[in-house]
């Protein structure tokens, strides 16, 4: 059912949608690396990988136990889990193995943990719950080292947050504790001193978070606003909030001796003479709201005007006359000081513990309030008043009187109850003496004051029979909340609470006098009633001034102050007994109401029984009617089924007759089909014989065609072989042409080389002639010799040219021979091998003859002194040729004339 989703903060894009929990998630803890997270619900805790958004592990527990919280310890790989049976386990994150379990606290100090906080170094764990005790655990020694007792007004802890400090090395010392009264107190866990607190019963804190550097505190208030506090301003001695109204009661509950050793009470760390300096203003900044600057040490003559919290009534009255109202931010604090509320927690708890009073069980029917919280607070406040004094359970206008204060103090029910009780005791004096009738004596005081100050208006009211129960009592029983707006009502009660209780009556008279113009124009009783039950266009500041004028100008004999007592605050410890009402009437009404309630209960029980009997009778009657109706339907259905059965039998007989006719027709048709089938079979046999004959004819034709095709294929194969032989011949001729071209090129290169050598020798001869010019005889002889050599070389060149011509003729003869061989191969394939062998032998003879011829020419042309060297090279060439001949088995067919020419060329170059 539960879905966890994440969004990017800036792009507001959905990153992942993680499913897995069946109930709502109570907490999410992220690992210090930001890669893992633990989500916790009542029945399971799940470990997630935030890179892949996949679940890694899941912790399941029995439904009877339940999980309280599972979270990572700061800057470590440790997971701490607490279950609803108060057991705490510590796990290793890497292996998810349990490292240890914290022991059970000592007897007398057990509390059910709800909230936790861990120091940044992960060494100290603080746990709290529905108690004013905090348990400090040392996670290194696994022992409970201290129990901190918060002030008595703290009954439950909702949030724990350590205040980081840059210089404590992670061992945080200041702990923020948000309790059920919506006040967050910051204490030192070592000295157990209350350093400062934020929030108030009027402006309660719903939740809070501290910045990582510990400089700021952000809190979400009960009224929906977001407050940001500076820790530096809160901790400065001169800029602290007002002194704490919570004091430690020395006589705390008794524990065992072992538990008492661990318990340390939180005491206030402020001086007694500290002033209220405003909402923690910082230096150099101007605060726009006006501040109350009250002297801490009042003079002895004003001692009776001193109020709790360091306020002075005279100075408050002077401030009120100057500005017309108290600052909205401090109004609730000033009211609590003016009314001197005792804040009796135990007494109020005993009243609340009695539950909802029977008179206000169905208050939602008479007063349908949209806000369930507001209705619940109103019901509890009225029930506490009814349990305090029985008259308030019988007073019909008590919800109207209490509702403005309930709406104003809905976040602090104790203050709400005590404000209403103080108003009833002091500002509603003598209201209940004529119960259940309106307070005639109080209305008489108002009428006397009105008669003294505005006789004409009173005569006008009397003329139209408008009594004080019409023009004064509606204003009194609703405390003017019906005719004033919220701001006007608060301004009026700022003045009422700051003056004598008689001022309240003067406000009512002043409201009537200031409304004289519209009232003098009214002449119907309904108009007067409407006027005093609805808001009117009236300046409330004028009404307040008129009330002060009436307080000063009213004669003493008719002044309400003479008949009303001075303000008396509620007593501390226990609330005073309120019995200023006719007891016998209230008791009689209570008895009558109880009797009526019992009669009503009995009536309701009998009516319930009657309803049940009637319901049973109706049910039985309906069942009988249903049975009869069912029987009737069954009879009708049976009759209908009988008719259907008869119709089906008639239809069946008709179908049988038609079936017999159909059978006869089918028999005749079957015979016809058999005859037709027999004739079709005979025809089929004839067709099969004809098809067989045709198939045989086709087979004979196919055989003849195949024979012709084979003959044609054989002819084509022969032709193809002929073409292959022709192509081989052409290929062989191409190879021969290439070989001849290669031999021709080599011969040409050899001739060129020989010519160059001759030129070189000529040059040498010329140089020798020039050098040996003196030896004429020797030079002439050498010249003749050189000339002879040149002639020989010329003759050798001629011989080489003749040899090349002979080679060409041999090539032509060989080509003719090859053509004859090809023809013979085409004519007779059998003699092909013999012809090839003969051609190989002929080729070998020609090549060797040509080689010997060249060798003889070269030997004849060489000089006498190089003859032996040429013979050696020739022998080497012959040996190489023989070796190649031995290695090549098919020398005749693939003889390479280029090899022999290359050998001859090598021998020639080395001469």
């Amino acid at each position: 059912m539960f879905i966890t989703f994440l969004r990017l903060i800036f792009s507001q894009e959905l990153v992942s949608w993680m499913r897995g929990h069946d109930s709502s998630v109570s907490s999410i803890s992220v690992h210090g690396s930001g890669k893992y997270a633990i989500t916790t619900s009542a029945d399971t805790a799940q470990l997630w990988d935030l890179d892949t958004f996949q679940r890694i592990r899941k912790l399941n527990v029995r439904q009877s136990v339940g999980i309280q919280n599972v979270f990572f310890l700061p800057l470590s790989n440790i997971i701490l889990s607490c279950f609803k049976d108060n057991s705490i386990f510590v796990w290793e994150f890497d292996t998810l193995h349990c490292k240890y379990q914290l022991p059970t606290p000592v007897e007398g100090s057990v509390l059910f943990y709800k909230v936790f906080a861990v120091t940044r170094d992960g060494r100290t764990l603080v746990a709290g719950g529905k108690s004013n005790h905090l348990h400090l655990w040392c996670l290194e020694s696994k022992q409970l080292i201290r129990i901190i007792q918060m002030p008595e007004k703290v009954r439950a802890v909702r949030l724990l947050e350590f205040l980081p400090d840059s210089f404590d090395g992670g061992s945080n010392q200041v702990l923020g504790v948000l309790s059920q009264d919506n006040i967050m107190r910051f204490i030192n866990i070592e000295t157990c001193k209350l350093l400062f607190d934020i929030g108030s019963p009027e402006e309660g804190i719903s939740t809070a978070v501290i910045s990582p550097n510990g400089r700021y505190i952000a809190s979400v208030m009960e009224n929906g606003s977001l407050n940001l506090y500076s820790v530096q301003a809160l901790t400065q001695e001169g800029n602290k909030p007002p002194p704490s109204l919570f004091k430690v009661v020395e006589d705390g509950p008794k524990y065992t001796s072992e538990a008492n050793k661990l318990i340390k009470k939180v005491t206030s760390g402020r001086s007694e003479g500290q002033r209220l300096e405003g909402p923690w203003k910082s230096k150099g900044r101007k605060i726009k709201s006006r501040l109350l600057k009250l002297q801490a040490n009042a003079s002895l003559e004003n001692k009776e005007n001193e109020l709790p919290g360091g306020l002075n009534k005279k100075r408050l009255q002077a401030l009120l006359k100057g500005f017309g109202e108290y600052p909205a931010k401090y109004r609730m604090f000033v009211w609590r000081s003016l009314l001197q509320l005792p804040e009796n927690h135990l007494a109020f708890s005993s009243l609340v513990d009695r539950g909802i009073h029977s008179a206000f069980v169905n208050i939602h029917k008479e007063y349908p309030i949209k806000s369930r919280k507001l209705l619940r607070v109103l019901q509890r406040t009225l029930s506490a008043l009814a349990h305090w004094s029985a008259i308030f359970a019988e007073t019909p206008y008590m919800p109207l009187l209490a509702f403005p204060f309930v709406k104003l103090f809905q976040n602090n029910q104790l203050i709400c109850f005590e404000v209403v009780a103080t108003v009833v005791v002091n500002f509603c004096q003598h209201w209940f003496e004529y119960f259940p009738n309106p307070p005639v004596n109080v209305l008489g005081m108002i009428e006397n004051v009105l008669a003294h100050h505005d006789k004409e208006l009173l005569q006008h009211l009397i003329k139209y029979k408008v009594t004080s129960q019409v023009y004064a009592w509606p204003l009194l029983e609703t405390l003017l909340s019906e005719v004033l707006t919220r701001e006007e009502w608060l301004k009026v009660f700022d003045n009422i609470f700051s003056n004598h209780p008689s001022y309240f009556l003067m406000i009512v008279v002043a409201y009537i006098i200031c409304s004289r113009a519209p009232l003098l124009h009214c002449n119907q009783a309904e108009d007067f009633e409407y006027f005093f039950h609805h808001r009117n266009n009236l300046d409330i500041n004028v009404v307040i001034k008129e009330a002060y004028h009436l307080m000063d100008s009213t004669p003493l004999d008719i002044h309400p102050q003479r008949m009303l007592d001075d303000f008396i605050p509620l007593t501390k410890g226990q609330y005073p007994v309120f019995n200023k009402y006719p007891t016998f009437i209230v008791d009689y009404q209570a008895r009558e109401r109880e009797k009526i309630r019992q009669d009503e209960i009995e009536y309701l029980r009998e009516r319930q029984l009657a309803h049940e009997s009637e319901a049973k009778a109706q049910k039985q009657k309906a069942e009988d009617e249903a049975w009869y109706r069912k029987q009737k339907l069954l009879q009708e259905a049976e009759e209908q089924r009988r008719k259907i059965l008869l119709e089906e039998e008639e239809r069946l007989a008709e179908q049988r007759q038609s079936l017999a006719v159909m059978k006869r027709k089918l028999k005749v048709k079957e015979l016809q089909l058999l005859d037709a089938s027999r004739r079709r079979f005979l025809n089929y046999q004839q067709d099969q014989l004809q098809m067989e004959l045709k198939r045989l004819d086709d087979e004979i034709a196919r055989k003849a065609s195949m024979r012709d095709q084979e003959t044609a294929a054989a002819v084509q194969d022969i032709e193809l072989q002929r073409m292959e032989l022709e192509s081989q011949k052409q290929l062989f001729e191409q190879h021969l042409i290439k070989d001849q071209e290669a031999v021709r090129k080599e011969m040409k290169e050899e001739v060129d080389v020989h010519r160059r050598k001759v030129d070189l020798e000529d040059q040498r001869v010329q140089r020798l002639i020039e050098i040996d010019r003196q030896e004429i005889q020797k030079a002439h002889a050498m010249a003749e010799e050189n000339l002879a050599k040149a002639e020989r070389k010329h003759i050798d060149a001629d011989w080489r040219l003749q040899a090349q011509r002979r080679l060409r003729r041999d090539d032509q003869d060989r080509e003719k021979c090859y053509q004859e061989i090809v023809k013979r191969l085409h004519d007779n394939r059998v003699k092909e091998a013999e012809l090839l062998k003969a051609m190989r032998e002929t080729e070998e003879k020609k090549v060797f003859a040509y080689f010997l011829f060249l060798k003889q020419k070269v030997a004849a042309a060489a000089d006498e002194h190089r003859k032996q060297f040429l013979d050696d090279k020739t022998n080497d060439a012959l040996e190489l040729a023989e070796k190649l001949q031995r290695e090549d088995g098919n020398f005749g067919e693939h003889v390479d004339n280029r090899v022999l020419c290359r050998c001859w060329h090598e021998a020639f170059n080395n001469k």
Side-chain angles (χ1 to χ4, degrees), residues 338-342 422 425-426 566-572 576:
L338 289 172
L339 299 179
Q340 303 178 34
L341 303 181
T422 304
V425 170
N426 291 278
D566 292 337
F567 178 83
I568 301 175
L570 298 178
T571 57
K572 291 190 175 181

Side-chain angles (χ1 to χ4, degrees), residues 749-792:
E749 291 175 357
E750 291 174 359
V751 172
D752 293 338
V753 170
H754 182 71
R755 186 181 293 112
R756 284 195 298 270
K757 286 183 179 181
V758 171
D759 294 337
L760 288 174
E761 288 178 358
D762 292 340
Q763 291 176 3
R764 290 174 183 174
V765 170
Q766 292 295 330
R767 281 197 301 269
L768 289 173
I769 292 170
E770 289 177 1
I771 293 171
D772 298 334
R773 184 172 300 212
Q774 294 176 3
E775 297 179 359
I776 299 171
Q777 296 296 328
K778 291 181 180 180
H780 182 72
M782 186 64 65
E784 290 179 355
E785 185 180 355
N786 289 333
L787 183 60
K789 290 180 181 179
E791 289 176 356
R792 288 178 188 151

